[in-house]
Amino acid sequence: MPHMTVVLLHGLGRTRRSMARLASRLAAAGHHVETLGYPSRRLGVAACAVHLQPAVAAIRARAGVPVVLVGHSMGGLVARHLAAADPALAAGLVMLGTPSRGSEAADCVSTLRLGRAVFGPALHDLRTDAAGAIPMPACPMAAIAGTRALIPLFRTRIPRPHDGLVSVESARFGAGERWHAVPAHHTWLMNHPGAVAAVLGAVASWSPPDGRAG
């Protein structure tokens, strides 16, 4: 199987370390992995993509072929911006617990001054009424959603099933994407064996048949 270059993007308020286990599994499968950090609590989603663009473009140039973008939660929306802005960038995009239709949890938290102070301008971009502003890239996509809610605060506010912060309905936005649901909660969705297997399967499906991968 050709090996790909895979770029991992963490979610809101997290760091690149949160993607370490998934990175290890991808590397063990022979893929080249780049895990990038970005100021998720200081910039909005589009601005985070602009911040990351030079680094991602450099990774793409070194690979010599399109890369695979994998984003957890907000990272998936940032990846959509990146892939939409440069159609030659991505061979595919995987979103893990990404609120593609917006998050009811973000709707709630964004009404609180403390919530806005802690999570910054990106919180507004995660709202259900802001989902339409996120561009849709032309590359193949896969969406992976969790169905186990361990965060009790929003259980009654999010349509079931959900992962505690993002509903399956929001993660599955119906644009012809590959689709998987696993019994995992939002925070560590990227570490669930089922999610890891789905990521590996998506990356393999997007590998070029002639072996010319990064």
Side-chain angles (χ1 to χ4, degrees):
M1 180 189 73
H3 296 153
M4 300 291 287
T5 293
V6 183
V7 180
L8 304 183
L9 302 176
H10 61 79
L12 177 61
R14 308 293 292 277
T15 71
R16 60 194 300 273
R17 292 190 296 274
S18 68
M19 306 296 280
R21 186 175 300 179
L22 177 58
S24 177
R25 291 296 303 274
L26 285 161
H31 301 295
H32 176 73
V33 184
E34 300 275 359
T35 308
L36 301 180
Y38 61 99
S40 61
R41 294 195 300 172
R42 185 164 55 84
L43 302 174
V45 170
C48 285
V50 171
H51 174 87
L52 284 166
Q53 192 278 331
V56 176
I59 293 169
R60 165 65 174 86
R62 290 195 297 270
V65 292
V67 303
V68 174
L69 302 174
V70 179
H72 174 237
S73 195
M74 172 181 151
L77 301 182
V78 174
R80 277 174 56 182
H81 272 280
L82 287 165
D86 180 4
L89 172 65
L93 190 165
V94 182
M95 292 165 288
L96 291 151
T98 294
S100 291
R101 298 180 187 271
S103 169
E104 289 82 3
D107 290 347
C108 296
V109 177
S110 66
T111 64
L112 306 174
R113 181 179 299 178
L114 179 60
R116 296 192 298 271
V118 170
F119 294 108
L123 185 62
H124 177 272
D125 298 330
L126 301 179
R127 290 172 53 95
T128 55
D129 58 4
I134 307 297
M136 189 68 69
C139 66
M141 292 180 286
I144 302 167
T147 60
R148 180 168 296 171
L150 297 184
I151 302 173
L153 185 59
F154 304 107
R155 281 183 177 175
T156 62
R157 298 175 180 265
I158 304 174
R160 296 181 179 179
H162 59 82
D163 65 6
L165 291 178
V166 177
S167 69
V168 168
E169 179 183 3
S170 178
R172 186 174 189 173
F173 54 94
E177 74 276 13
R178 296 166 63 100
W179 170 246
H180 303 273
V182 299
H185 60 98
H186 187 82
T187 303
W188 301 115
L189 174 60
M190 74 292 280
N191 294 340
H192 189 277
V196 172
V199 173
L200 289 169
V203 174
S205 74
W206 299 326
S207 299
D210 59 6
R212 291 180 299 175

